[in-house]
């Protein structure tokens, strides 16, 4: 995978560097596991409401590149799923459909449930436009981020 800056509106995104078939494992959503209700000010949260837990990927030292996956509530190409090992739940992402090289990875943040009012970009009820990433981003900063994130685990 490759993290790329898309634009000032969307921000960063995660892009496939190889092809994936429907059902293929993509990656794990990594971060600090917390109990209770997620803090609203952090934009890197994966809520697990049925366990009263969430994964906070706001700390770059504890998170992984899945934090850069953007929302798509109309035609996502990935879907989260829960794996429980020794009573600890992990959130993985699988390909919901075939994914091509260079395609941005996106999933439905609400997984088809819940209230979208907390997601202001959904207010138009139109899908977000998937744009090509910018090429003028500081590659040194991206390389640092990529190498440091890949060595971190849940």
């Amino acid at each position: 995978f490759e993290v790329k800056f898309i634009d000032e509106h969307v921000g960063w995104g995660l892009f496939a560097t190889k092809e994936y078939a429907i059902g293929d494992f993509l990656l794990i959503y990594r971060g600090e596991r917390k109990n209770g209700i997620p803090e609203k000010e952090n934009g890197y949260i994966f809520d697990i409401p049925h366990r009263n837990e969430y994964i906070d990927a706001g700390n770059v030292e504890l998170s992984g590149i899945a934090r850069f996956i953007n929302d798509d509530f109309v035609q996502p190409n990935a879907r989260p799923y829960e794996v429980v090992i020794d009573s600890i739940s992990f959130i993985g992402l699988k390909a919901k459909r075939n994914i091509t090289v260079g395609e941005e990875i996106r999933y439905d943040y609400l997984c088809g449930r819940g209230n979208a009012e907390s997601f202001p970009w959904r207010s138009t009820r139109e899908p977000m436009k998937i744009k090509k990433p910018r090429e003028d981003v500081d590659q040194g900063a991206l390389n640092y981020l990529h190498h440091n994130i890949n060595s971190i685990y849940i």
Side-chain angles (χ1 to χ4, degrees):
F1 292 100
E2 188 174 11
V3 176
K4 295 182 181 182
F5 186 78
I6 299 168
D7 65 24
E8 288 75 17
H9 175 71
V10 177
W12 298 87
L14 187 67
F15 293 81
T17 55
K18 70 176 204 168
E19 291 186 358
Y20 292 92
I22 188 169
D24 282 354
F25 169 79
L26 300 174
L27 66 166
I28 296 284
Y29 196 95
R30 299 172 192 229
E32 183 179 359
R33 184 174 304 277
K34 296 181 177 180
N35 292 318
I37 298 170
E39 300 168 14
K40 296 286 184 190
E41 63 271 2
N42 183 343
Y44 299 106
I45 296 291
F46 194 105
D47 193 17
I48 312 170
H50 67 280
R51 293 188 174 278
N52 195 32
E53 296 178 342
Y54 62 98
I55 298 171
D56 181 348
N59 182 337
V60 74
E61 294 178 6
L62 300 175
S63 67
I65 58 175
R67 70 185 257 158
F68 295 104
I69 298 175
N70 289 308
D71 182 36
D72 186 333
F73 62 101
V74 177
Q75 293 182 324
N77 58 9
R79 68 173 184 81
Y81 67 100
E82 183 178 26
V83 177
V84 180
I85 302 171
D86 294 330
S87 300
I88 299 173
S89 64
F90 295 89
I91 302 301
L93 287 126
K94 288 185 177 183
K96 187 172 180 173
R97 61 170 173 75
N98 292 337
I99 298 173
T100 60
V101 173
E103 187 174 349
E104 185 181 1
I105 307 299
R106 289 189 173 222
Y107 72 92
D108 176 359
Y109 284 2
L110 291 175
C111 304
R113 69 183 197 312
N115 186 342
E117 289 178 9
S118 61
F119 300 140
W121 60 90
R122 289 187 173 192
S123 64
T124 62
R125 303 305 302 164
E126 295 177 15
M128 288 185 69
K129 303 271 190 277
I130 297 179
K131 301 179 180 181
K132 297 263 186 218
R134 285 180 28 185
E135 300 297 329
D136 62 338
V137 177
D138 178 358
Q139 290 301 313
L142 278 178
N143 287 337
Y144 171 81
L145 180 66
H146 178 71
H147 291 343
N148 285 299
I149 284 177
N150 284 340
S151 64
I152 299 169
Y153 56 90
I154 281 186

